[in-house]
Amino acid sequence: MPTRVRSHAKINLGLTIGPARADGYHALATIYQTLAIHDFVEVSAERLREGFDSQIVIHCDDVRVPCDERNTCWKIVDLALRRLDVAARVNIHLEKRLPVQGGLGAGSANAAAALIGLERELGTALPEAERLAIVAETGSDVPLFLIGGTVLGLGRGEEVHPLPDLPETECVLAVPEVAVSTPRAFAEWDGLQQSQVSELRPGAPDHDRLKQLGRAWVAALAGSQGSSAIATGVFPEKDWAGNLLLELVRAGIENDFESVVFSEYPSLRGILEILKNGSEKESSAIYAALSGSGSTLFGLYRSHADAGAAIERLEGAHVQVYETRTIGRERYQREMFDAD
Ligand code: C5P
């Protein structure tokens, strides 16, 4: 029997971009949040006798997904087999439910799920340090999917720290038809920084500032409970998602990519406004933003009715929508192997 693993989407509640590093990546601080919506990754693996080479075969029901070495699942399984020094015939079936458009980390989540499935199938696990190394090598936002829930990302996004979970909240995803290139969005951000520095405005925050920002977000998420809530991972019930998100906004959470991506694709700003604003003030989103470098945008709502109203507004504007909820760490890990 193959191992079937759920591969959840993420959004970035906020993302602050720091300076470009010597390795070409950018330092950043972000808060990732996993969502209930997911793909399925089905893995079967059979060990081969010594002297045989590994074979990795990927099938996907979505023709837009490459099934060769470019696929993140292929990359991570290849890396894992080499590090484990195991030859195996590995079959992976990707059942896509998530939009292929960027911002939701679908490819990264698929990779994390493929690794988890492979380890189960082979009945072996990589030593933790090696596991983290190949996960980070596959992509900056793959490590978050080993944890799930609300997660602080530092470094280039791969240094992940579990945070107390945001209570489960209604979430609407708006998926515009445009595709945003992440490397290009970073390059445009760099260009913007240079022009601002030349106008004597402060440039991108350095590593220390990013860490401070991360700490401010953690403190905002911990609310009045301070560090004890962080340590236990438990929030008092009176602190509902709306208050926490407002605290995060006060602590400076925003997505730096919005400035560059919205100037390239002005229609996305309009979609963000539709997500944010209901006709009645009460039904507006608690918080709405671009996820990652986009083009997916999201809104978080106080009730199912508010989310439904946002969906109607978006459908009226002919924007593709998905309805989902944020998902906490405990449920993320518990339901990972649920077959349907
Ligand atoms: O790590 P990942 O493969 O997802 O990154 C895709 C591209 O995005 C990188 O090749 C790099 O150009 C850019 N990137 C970056 N800084 C980061 C993450 C990604 O410049 N922190």
Side-chain angles (χ1 to χ4, degrees), residues 24-28 138-141 155-157 182-183 186:
Y25 285 91
H26 290 70
L28 54 81
T138 306
S140 306
D141 56 7
R156 60 179 167 89
T182 303
F186 272 113

Side-chain angles (χ1 to χ4, degrees), residues 44-228:
S44 60
E46 187 194 331
R47 284 180 193 253
L48 297 172
R49 282 204 314 270
E50 217 170 294
F52 284 85
D53 289 335
S54 290
Q55 288 170 21
I56 304 167
V57 178
I58 300 181
H59 292 285
C60 181
D61 50 13
D62 188 323
V63 290
R64 291 168 298 177
V65 176
C67 289
D68 53 20
E69 297 85 348
R70 289 169 295 167
N71 193 295
T72 51
C73 297
W74 199 99
K75 283 185 195 160
I76 206 162
V77 165
D78 184 52
L79 280 170
L81 291 174
R82 285 173 198 279
R83 299 281 167 97
L84 286 167
D85 201 18
V86 166
R89 184 178 298 123
V90 181
N91 275 295
I92 299 174
H93 179 73
L94 299 177
E95 196 178 307
K96 294 302 282 184
R97 297 183 177 187
L98 302 174
V100 178
Q101 241 88 323
L104 297 174
S108 300
N110 289 173
L115 178 65
I116 290 164
L118 179 76
E119 287 178 335
R120 270 230 169 170
E121 283 286 295
L122 295 176
T124 184
L126 284 155
E128 202 49 31
E130 286 209 36
R131 194 168 188 246
L132 288 176
I134 70 160
V135 165
E137 195 176 329
T138 306
S140 306
D141 56 7
V142 184
L144 101 97
F145 291 107
L146 296 182
I147 303 177
T150 310
V151 177
L152 175 67
L154 295 172
R156 60 179 167 89
E158 91 291 13
E159 268 177 39
V160 285
H161 306 271
L163 296 178
D165 278 328
L166 190 74
E168 291 198 2
T169 306
E170 300 287 333
C171 178
V172 174
L173 300 174
V175 185
E177 273 166 14
V178 299
V180 176
S181 150
T182 303
R184 190 161 149 206
F186 272 113
E188 278 171 17
W189 173 259
D190 291 340
L192 190 71
Q193 295 310 296
Q194 272 162 13
S195 64
Q196 290 190 340
V197 168
S198 64
E199 287 167 28
L200 294 176
R201 281 206 241 136
D206 60 20
H207 297 270
D208 287 346
R209 271 268 302 123
L210 289 170
K211 281 206 170 134
Q212 271 170 24
L213 200 59
R215 274 199 287 273
W217 293 345
V218 173
L221 269 173
S224 58
Q225 292 300 295
S227 55
S228 68

Side-chain angles (χ1 to χ4, degrees), residues 240-288:
W240 58 306
N243 286 342
L244 292 174
L245 286 163
L246 290 178
E247 284 300 322
L248 276 176
V249 171
R250 272 189 218 115
I253 198 148
E254 57 184 348
N255 185 343
D256 281 344
F257 277 123
E258 286 183 3
S259 55
V260 284
V261 174
F262 288 178
S263 47
E264 176 113 7
Y265 304 102
S267 65
L268 300 196
R269 194 188 294 281
I271 297 174
L272 182 63
E273 288 310 312
I274 300 175
L275 276 163
K276 273 185 184 167
N277 300 316
S279 50
E280 314 272 322
K281 175 106 179 63
E282 313 77 73
S283 65
S284 298
I286 313 168
Y287 181 71

